[in-house]
């Protein structure tokens, strides 16, 4: 089923898509009050053991707001309306999605970028370990997103 803007929760994405055709998405959450960011990934459906009760069921991706404790605390502090929830791109494979997340985190200097006030630019505190060769490379859209992201704070 093709989804459009009204069907994707708080996420912003310019294209219609069918979650059943994709493994997951790469996203960026921006705290508009502090100019801090969080880069992450989210699957559309539960996978893993086929005997699991949740296998194949849709995950709560429409309301998902990241896994960072610091990010969650700031959402409570500033309110969800102070945040931009943006889907960067969609990925068909687990390897492609995991690699794209690490790629964007690395190129954005998410672990080392510090704001003028001494606070980290990104909520990210780790970069996922890649233990396999991905079958999918970061898309052109993901690669070009880094320059758009950096323009927001440089």
């Amino acid at each position: 089923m093709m989804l459009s803007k009204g069907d994707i929760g708080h996420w912003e994405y310019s294209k219609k898509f069918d979650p059943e055709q994709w493994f997951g998405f790469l996203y960026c959450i921006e705290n508009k009050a502090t100019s801090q960011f969080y880069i992450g990934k989210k699957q559309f459906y539960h996978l893993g053991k086929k005997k699991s009760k949740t296998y194949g069921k849709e995950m709560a991706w429409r309301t998902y707001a990241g896994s960072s404790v610091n990010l969650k605390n700031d959402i409570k502090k500033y309110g969800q309306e102070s945040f931009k929830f943006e889907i960067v791109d969609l990925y068909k494979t687990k390897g492609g999605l995991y690699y794209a997340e690490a790629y964007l985190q690395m190129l954005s200097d998410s672990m080392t970028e510090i704001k003028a006030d001494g606070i980290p630019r990104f909520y990210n505190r780790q970069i996922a370990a890649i233990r396999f060769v991905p079958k999918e490379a970061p898309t052109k859209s993901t690669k070009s997103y880094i320059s758009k992201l950096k323009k927001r704070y440089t």
Side-chain angles (χ1 to χ4, degrees):
M1 176 174 71
M2 294 297 281
L3 301 180
S4 57
K5 189 172 184 169
D7 301 321
I8 61 174
H10 55 231
W11 297 102
E12 295 179 19
Y13 191 60
S14 60
K15 302 171 190 166
K16 291 182 181 183
F17 65 94
D18 180 354
E20 292 181 9
Q21 301 299 314
W22 301 93
F23 178 81
F25 62 96
L26 181 64
Y27 65 85
C28 181
I29 299 173
E30 177 184 359
N31 180 336
K32 297 182 283 187
T34 65
S35 295
Q36 288 176 283
F37 301 86
Y38 183 77
I39 295 168
K41 64 184 176 330
K42 187 67 180 164
Q43 292 177 208
F44 288 115
Y45 293 92
H46 287 278
L47 299 177
K49 295 182 180 181
K50 292 187 179 182
K51 292 180 181 180
S52 168
K53 291 179 183 180
T54 60
Y55 182 82
K57 293 186 179 177
E58 186 173 81
M59 298 186 93
W61 62 270
R62 289 173 173 87
T63 57
Y64 186 73
S67 60
S68 164
V69 172
N70 293 326
L71 171 62
K72 289 178 180 181
N73 289 339
D74 275 1
I75 290 172
K76 286 179 188 172
K77 178 179 178 178
Y78 294 101
Q80 190 165 325
E81 65 280 354
S82 294
F83 290 80
K84 179 179 181 177
F85 296 84
E86 180 179 15
I87 294 176
V88 175
D89 215 350
L90 306 169
Y91 283 84
K92 290 192 178 285
T93 64
K94 178 179 180 177
L97 179 62
Y98 279 60
Y99 185 78
E101 178 194 32
Y103 177 86
L104 193 54
Q105 289 171 340
M106 291 293 292
L107 289 182
S108 64
D109 296 321
S110 66
M111 299 291 290
T112 57
E113 180 70 28
I114 304 295
K115 299 182 343 169
D117 60 7
I119 295 185
R121 173 72 62 195
F122 290 82
Y123 291 101
N124 298 80
R125 296 293 178 264
Q126 65 183 16
I127 293 176
I130 304 300
R131 294 184 293 269
F132 45 82
V133 176
K135 295 177 183 167
E136 183 179 24
T139 63
K140 288 181 183 180
S141 180
T142 298
K143 289 179 180 181
S144 68
Y145 185 79
I146 190 63
S147 61
K148 294 175 194 170
L149 179 61
K150 285 194 169 189
K151 284 179 185 176
R152 291 188 198 167
Y153 60 84
T154 55

